[in-house]
Amino acid sequence: ETGVTQSPTHLIKTRGQQVTLRCSSQSGHNTVSWYQQALGQGPQFIFQYYREEENGRGNFPPRFSGLQFPNYSSELNVNALELDDSALYLCASSFSTGGNEKLFFGSGTQLSVL
Amino acid sequence: AQSVTQLGSHVSVSEGALVLLRCNYSSSVPPYLFWYVQYPNQGLQLLLKYTSAATLVKGINGFEAEFKKSETSFHLTKPSAHMSDAAEYFCAVSSLLGYSTLTFGKGTMLLVSP
């Protein structure tokens, strides 16, 4: 049990739609990262939020956006869904101390785009 | 850019046999290295991490890994496999964006037979 919960666990959307995935971090964690894990691949870093500001982004287009709220919850929004967006989306929270922090992963949201 | 290569998408061992999962990395700066395990329908759980202290790192569940700079390797071992070790294992390196943003390998599925 990591104390990080994600909702929903499964989601089916059609191409062109928009989707919002949610993550509830451990209390006190000031950093949340989102990862995309396609079938048969390792997780790929999407972006990271620290104290409600984006402070790092991987190789993902602007239609992937996020929010982090003061109550330790966060969202990943994806606009104009494409078939290749089908994947497991993982969030990970941590308390950033400038080094040596531990990531706590949620169980993920499985997104299918038809 | 940083990258991780995991040799072998699947590794099969018998219960009680040695487990060896291979990981090679590429990094332009001294890396932090990690091994994570993922059980079906679950998120990632940290097994162990190397952060420039001792080169032989001991983790949970009897796993350990040795950092070899000359070989740019961080292989994961366990002396005696247990049925409960069957899962997917990911090697990861910390990115230039920060300690908590990771670049993962594609994963190795460990199969344990009785």
Side-chain angles (χ1 to χ4, degrees):
Chain A
E1 181 60 48
T2 65
V4 179
T5 57
Q6 293 186 242
S7 63
T9 55
H10 294 82
L11 199 54
I12 299 175
K13 291 286 189 178
T14 56
R15 192 171 49 182
Q17 284 188 314
Q18 178 267 342
V19 69
T20 297
L21 310 182
R22 294 180 172 82
C23 174
S24 178
S25 302
Q26 278 197 20
S27 179
H29 281 189
N30 56 12
T31 303
V32 65
S33 306
W34 286 90
Y35 288 82
Q36 180 195 66
Q37 185 177 10
L39 190 63
Q41 302 292 319
Q44 270 197 292
F45 173 71
I46 303 175
F47 46 55
Q48 179 182 85
Y49 278 76
Y50 171 69
R51 292 183 176 178
E52 302 163 46
E53 300 268 344
E54 183 180 306
N55 78 333
R57 190 176 187 95
N59 189 26
F60 281 81
R63 60 189 185 84
F64 285 78
S65 63
L67 288 171
Q68 185 186 24
F69 303 102
N71 65 351
Y72 308 114
S73 66
S74 58
E75 292 179 354
L76 165 64
N77 298 289
V78 187
N79 293 323
L81 282 167
E82 301 177 0
L83 297 180
D84 286 348
D85 296 333
S86 295
L88 179 68
Y89 288 85
L90 297 166
C91 79
S93 74
S94 63
F95 181 74
S96 178
T97 60
N100 208 29
E101 56 261 34
K102 180 179 177 180
L103 292 183
F104 294 83
F105 281 86
S107 297
T109 293
Q110 184 67 55
L111 172 65
S112 298
V113 182
L114 306 178
Chain B
Q2 297 178 300
S3 66
V4 171
T5 301
Q6 292 184 240
L7 296 176
S9 58
H10 291 79
V11 169
S12 296
V13 300
S14 300
E15 192 172 20
L18 170 72
V19 175
L20 171 60
L21 304 182
R22 300 178 186 274
C23 171
N24 288 89
Y25 70 91
S26 171
S27 177
S28 57
V29 297
Y32 292 158
L33 293 158
F34 307 79
W35 276 99
Y36 282 85
V37 62
Q38 186 176 36
Y39 296 99
N41 301 315
Q42 294 188 27
L44 299 167
Q45 180 182 5
L46 179 66
L47 279 177
L48 49 80
K49 63 182 179 183
Y50 165 77
T51 58
S52 74
T55 57
L56 182 62
V57 182
K58 294 186 183 299
I60 62 172
N61 302 338
F63 284 94
E64 63 181 37
E66 186 173 8
F67 172 69
K68 292 187 177 181
K69 183 178 179 180
S70 61
E71 299 177 7
T72 60
S73 69
F74 190 57
H75 302 330
L76 181 70
T77 60
K78 182 175 180 178
S80 176
H82 192 273
M83 296 295 289
S84 61
D85 294 327
E88 187 146 29
Y89 292 79
F90 292 94
C91 181
V93 61
S94 59
S95 81
L96 298 176
L97 293 174
Y99 182 91
S100 58
T101 56
L102 303 174
T103 299
F104 286 87
K106 292 187 176 182
T108 298
M109 181 65 73
L110 177 64
L111 306 170
V112 183
S113 56

